[in-house]
Each structure stands twice: as structure tokens, then as C-alpha cells.
Amino acid sequence: MRTPLSKLQEANGARFIDFAGWELPVHYGSQVDEHHAVRNSVGCFDVSHMAVLDINEQYANELLSHLLTGDVANLQIGRGRYTLMLNEEAGIIDDLIVYRRTNQSFRLVVNAGTSKSDLDWIRECEQQWCKQTNIVHRDDLCIVAVQGPQALHTVAKAFDYEGLKDLSQFEFIELNHVFIACTGYTGDAGVEVICSIEEAQELWSNVIRLGAQPAGLGARDSLRLEAGLNLYGHDMTSDTHPLESRLSWTIDERNPDRVFVGKAKLAKIRESDVERKLTGLEMIDKGIPREGHIVATSAGEGVVTSGTFSPTLGRGIALVRVPKDAKGSCQVSIRNRSLAAKLVKPPFLK
Amino acid sequence: MNQYPTDRQYAKTHEWVKIENGVATVGISDFAQSELGDIVYVELPDIDAEFESEAEIAVVESVKAASDIYAPVAGKVIEINEELDDDPELVNQDAYDKGWFIKLEVDSNVSTEGLLTAEEYQKLCESDSD
């Protein structure tokens, strides 16, 4: 499957690869150049493979209150929040952003690879708790992310709306059916725009004309890793819980009476002590740590959950799951050699 | 569009070799650098190290993965491209000239059996990328 922007991307020089059942641009010539363009100026990403789920029902607050680690009762209209859906074992089903559009209307943006299972799960919960299923997968919409220090300036020009420059993090507005959220997966400023196919095609061409560098999945991965952001399916899965995934902060327990899926198991895990943690690793020797590489630490063995080359730092970086007391220097086993590295708390760019 | 200069020979494993006056210069092809993506590290052998044809002689690490490079001909290392230490992207930018890897001292009757002409190598690459 290709997104509606693929023809434009072919003309931009995209090289396509397979990802979660989609054929998407991995780069447009050089993922390292695209990475630098985002860090120094502005880049644009087509993330239309992610799934937009809308729900507008009286029971929506209650439904999401049960489903998510974040508490939507504390989410104002016009704001979004990064949150998780857990299963009964407190394993992470997916990470997502939830936006509140009105008192009872929400938009969720979930990962491409898990979109079908997420939808099945939400519908099952809806049916069980609310006796109906009304959540809608908006596969008629595209998502374009514009990221970098010049991003807000660029989209303000593209939409001819100066107000966009003042958007604060996690805030969103809806301009004539175009949903513009001040969110992103790069650690830099920027927006994610959810809109119709025609609008997305126009926006794509416009931001590029205004100087945005089209950027693919390769740059997207090195940018998010530098920012210390997890990648679902690698840094966390349905077999890992938030406390060993650097995500305990997403759990909002300000209302002790709120019951959400996974809450009971989380309490048990906290009682019996968490044994592992997710943290960062920066190479000292020359080499790139990759998923599955074993890490020898002061407190025992761990594993790389995702890794790549950081163009900004000029060295390999990774997220690693290690014994909870591990710190300081360590070695990564790469291609039968033991290379020196050190554990660091993400993000890698301070 | 990838390039296939005719002034040299190619190995099926995507290295090129140019032999002049008992010295073989070795690098990787334009097709190879394009498939690898941005190259970030190049590990070259020590001076005086000797290699049989097809032996592992170097390692190239790109953002995608690490790949072994094989000696297209047998010889002894007499020079390595030190520029690649600071500027590995030279391999992506200029695979056939500034992106050279190694110079080997070779026998006058060195075997080039198994090596391909530019035309043969191009055919191989074009059938590979289906």
C-alpha cells in the first residue's frame, strides 16, 4: 500500500521500502542530510500510514478513562497528550496521542503496525462497557509532519495564518477542517497536520517550495532516537510494562478512583520491585549498536532494543533494556567484538 | 542512475579493482554505495597485511547495516585511504575516485578470474534490483 502522497514523493526522489504493510520513503537521497535539515531548519514527513481514530459519543470520556494510562478528565479542549493503552498484564498494547476536540469528542493517532489490533481492542472494550461501537477509523485522511526550528514559521506561511507561530506544545487548532497539532517525533519544534488527501498534497508541495526538506523513515528514526523517544514494537511491546520502558510518567493516578486496564497489575509490579529499566547508550568505540546486541553492564547483561548512528553526535546511540542498577561504562557485543560504550539518560541531545 | 566506468573490473560482491603497474586499487561500486545508504564508518586493514582473493578485507558500516568487503584479487596492503576516517561520506559521493579504500601490491600474473567487465557487472546489478 502506498499513501496518496507517493506520486509527489517519487518526483522528490524518494527511495521506497516496506514498512508495516506499506511502501514508504526511507530517504530522498541521504537520510543523514535529511536529519541535519530537520535539526538545522525544516523537514517534512508523510506519516499517513499512521491511523486516525475519531470518537464522538456521550460515553467517550468513560471509555477512554478505562482504556488509557493518561486521564482524559485532565485533558482540556484543544490539547493532546502522549499516552499508552495497556492490556490486563500491564503490557503495552500501543503508544498514541489523544486529542480532546469537545467535551465528548476525541481524536486518537495510533501506530500503523498496530492499527488493526488497536481498533479491534477498542471496539471490544466499547462493546463490553458501552454496548455499542462507534469509533471510526478515518482512513480518508492524511498526516503530514513538518519539523525543525523553522517548522512553525514555514507552516504559518503555507496556511497564511500567523497564529500558527504561537502554538504551544501539544496544543492543536482546527482551521477550515485542517487539524494542526503542535506535536512531533523528532525532539524539535513542529506540527503534525491531519487533513484530506487534496489538502495534504497541496501542503506537501507548498512546504517544500518554502524550503522544507522531504525526509523519510531513516531520518525519522535517527531523529526520534536522539530525542530519546521510544519506538513501539522495539523499545516496548505487549510483553513490556511502562515501568521498564521509561514510561511510568504517562500513568496519571491523580484520581485514585479511576480504574483503567492494567492498573491492578501495575500495583503488583510496583510492590514486587521492577528489575529492569530502559535507558540510553552512547558508543565510545566506533560502531553502531543495533537491536538484539548484548550489553555488558556493571549490574549484569542487557540488550539493545533499538540503535542507530546519531548524525548530530557523530556516534552510535541506542535505547537499551538493562538491570535497573546498571550505570556508567559498559560494552556492546557487535560482530564478535566487545566495543566500549556508556549508559546515559536520554535524551541524547541536551 | 548508477555509474559503471569501463576502466576497471568488478567483483560479484560489488567491489571494483583497477590494476596498474603492479598496484591494485580497490573500492566499492556506485550501485553498492547506493544500496548501503549513508556510510558512517569504514574499517580498513593494516599496512602489510596480505589477503587471498575473496578474503574479507574491510568493513563498511552504513546507517542500515555493516557489510564485509572482499579482496577482488590477492595482494599485500601498501596504502589505505585515511580520508575515509573523517569523511566516510566520500564513498557515497565519489565511489570510483575519492572514495577508494585500499591499494594492494599484486603479482604481475595476478589472477583476475571471476571478475566482471563493466558491462557484465551492470547486467548483474540491473537484474538484482527487481
Side-chain angles (χ1 to χ4, degrees):
Chain A
M1 263 188 307
R2 287 195 169 198
T3 78
L5 297 179
S6 63
K7 282 270 172 288
L8 290 174
Q9 291 159 352
E10 269 175 39
N12 296 139
R15 173 99 169 215
F16 291 83
I17 53 157
D18 288 324
F19 181 84
W22 294 81
E23 242 191 298
L24 303 171
V26 60
H27 64 70
Y28 294 80
S30 161
Q31 70 178 63
V32 169
D33 285 351
E34 289 153 39
H35 180 115
H36 288 310
V38 170
R39 287 279 178 250
N40 297 327
S41 176
V42 53
C44 53
F45 301 82
D46 172 15
V47 289
S48 307
H49 54 294
M50 295 184 75
V52 178
L53 310 178
D54 283 350
I55 180 156
N56 182 1
E57 294 296 324
Q58 262 198 326
Y59 61 73
N61 281 281
E62 218 191 297
L63 173 69
L64 296 180
S65 165
H66 281 326
L67 272 178
L68 309 175
T69 55
D71 188 352
V72 295
N74 297 324
L75 184 62
Q76 300 159 331
I77 291 176
R79 297 198 65 81
R81 178 168 307 159
Y82 174 75
T83 185
L84 308 176
M85 269 199 309
L86 304 182
N87 56 34
E88 294 286 6
E89 292 304 303
I92 302 167
I93 293 176
D94 206 0
D95 64 339
L96 58 119
I97 297 188
V98 57
Y99 301 94
R100 179 189 279 281
R101 300 166 86 179
T102 71
N103 287 330
Q104 63 171 46
S105 167
F106 296 87
R107 169 163 286 178
L108 280 62
V109 180
V110 302
N111 288 305
T114 41
S115 55
K116 180 162 188 323
S117 51
D118 286 353
L119 205 42
D120 286 345
W121 168 246
I122 297 174
R123 283 184 174 140
E124 202 187 300
C125 294
E126 254 187 304
Q127 188 59 47
Q128 202 186 3
W129 303 327
C130 319
K131 307 298 179 230
Q132 49 189 302
T133 71
N134 293 302
I135 192 155
V136 177
H137 177 194
R138 299 295 307 278
D139 55 10
D140 56 310
L141 299 176
C142 287
I143 313 178
V144 174
V146 185
Q147 303 279 308
Q150 296 301 314
L152 290 179
H153 179 82
T154 305
V155 289
K157 269 212 172 112
F159 287 105
D160 193 22
Y161 185 65
E162 287 295 296
L164 286 176
K165 287 198 197 144
D166 300 322
L167 272 182
S168 63
Q169 247 213 337
F170 282 104
E171 199 189 329
F172 74 88
I173 59 168
E174 303 203 48
L175 266 184
N176 306 325
H177 306 297
V178 177
F179 182 102
I180 304 170
C182 194
T183 51
Y185 194 48
T186 61
D188 254 296
V191 296
E192 293 176 307
V193 181
I194 304 176
C195 57
S196 70
I197 294 174
E198 295 75 37
E199 275 153 348
Q201 288 168 337
E202 207 184 310
L203 177 64
W204 184 262
S205 303
N206 283 342
V207 296
I208 291 174
R209 198 177 29 84
L210 289 166
Q213 165 65 50
L217 294 175
R220 188 166 163 81
D221 193 44
S222 53
L223 287 161
R224 67 96 194 164
L225 197 32
E226 278 185 357
L229 301 172
N230 290 8
L231 175 61
Y232 188 81
H234 300 265
D235 306 310
M236 74 272 204
T237 66
S238 55
D239 290 325
T240 63
H241 56 73
L243 310 183
E244 59 183 354
S245 309
R246 283 189 74 232
L247 294 172
S248 51
W249 63 271
T250 66
I251 305 166
D252 184 348
E253 289 179 306
R254 279 176 283 182
N255 174 5
D257 297 328
R258 180 172 77 103
V259 177
F260 58 90
V261 180
K263 177 174 178 170
K265 184 67 192 209
L266 275 177
K268 280 216 186 79
I269 292 170
R270 280 197 183 108
E271 267 167 41
S272 64
D273 221 13
V274 181
E275 291 166 359
R276 306 183 301 176
K277 66 179 176 191
L278 189 72
T279 189
L281 175 143
E282 205 177 293
M283 294 302 296
I284 294 172
D285 284 341
K286 279 183 173 173
I288 310 293
R290 303 200 195 256
E291 187 172 344
H293 284 155
I294 302 297
V295 183
T297 79
S298 52
E301 224 176 64
V303 70
V304 175
T305 53
S306 67
T308 191
F309 177 73
S310 157
T312 309
L313 296 175
R315 55 184 73 247
I317 56 172
L319 286 172
V320 295
R321 188 164 276 117
V322 294
K324 80 169 191 320
D325 295 325
K327 63 179 182 173
S329 20
C330 57
Q331 292 81 44
V332 193
S333 185
I334 300 178
R335 288 162 61 87
N336 295 322
R337 284 161 61 191
S338 193
L339 300 182
K342 60 182 180 181
L343 296 180
V344 301
K345 257 178 93 172
F348 295 90
L349 304 185
K350 313 284 174 183
Chain B
M1 282 299 297
N2 292 319
Q3 295 165 7
Y4 303 91
T6 51
D7 62 349
R8 61 200 71 200
Q9 292 173 292
Y10 299 81
K12 294 195 183 85
T13 44
H14 305 288
E15 296 85 8
W16 57 259
V17 60
K18 208 167 160 192
I19 308 176
E20 277 164 341
N21 302 324
V23 176
T25 309
V26 177
I28 64 171
S29 69
D30 196 33
F31 176 82
Q33 70 76 18
S34 171
E35 290 296 299
L36 286 168
D38 291 315
I39 289 167
V40 299
Y41 293 131
V42 180
E43 231 179 86
L44 298 173
D46 293 328
I47 306 289
D48 287 340
E50 292 186 33
F51 295 91
E52 296 292 320
S53 159
E54 293 182 8
E56 276 172 36
I57 193 170
V59 181
V60 146
E61 179 125 44
S62 75
V63 286
K64 246 165 83 170
S67 293
D68 288 314
I69 305 304
Y70 304 94
V73 293
K76 183 167 84 163
V77 180
I78 51 171
E79 209 186 321
I80 56 173
N81 187 353
E82 314 245 346
E83 301 267 321
L84 298 185
D85 215 37
D86 285 331
D87 293 311
E89 62 274 10
L90 282 173
V91 181
N92 295 115
Q93 290 160 6
D94 195 359
Y96 293 118
D97 187 8
K98 293 208 179 75
W100 68 274
F101 280 31
I102 299 158
K103 288 195 205 281
L104 297 168
E105 186 183 79
V106 297
D107 287 339
S108 50
N109 59 348
V110 63
S111 164
T112 56
E113 204 188 301
L115 293 181
L116 308 170
T117 63
E119 212 183 303
E120 288 166 339
Y121 178 62
Q122 181 168 1
K123 275 211 188 75
L124 176 73
C125 294
E126 282 166 7
S127 65
D128 247 6
S129 46
D130 265 332

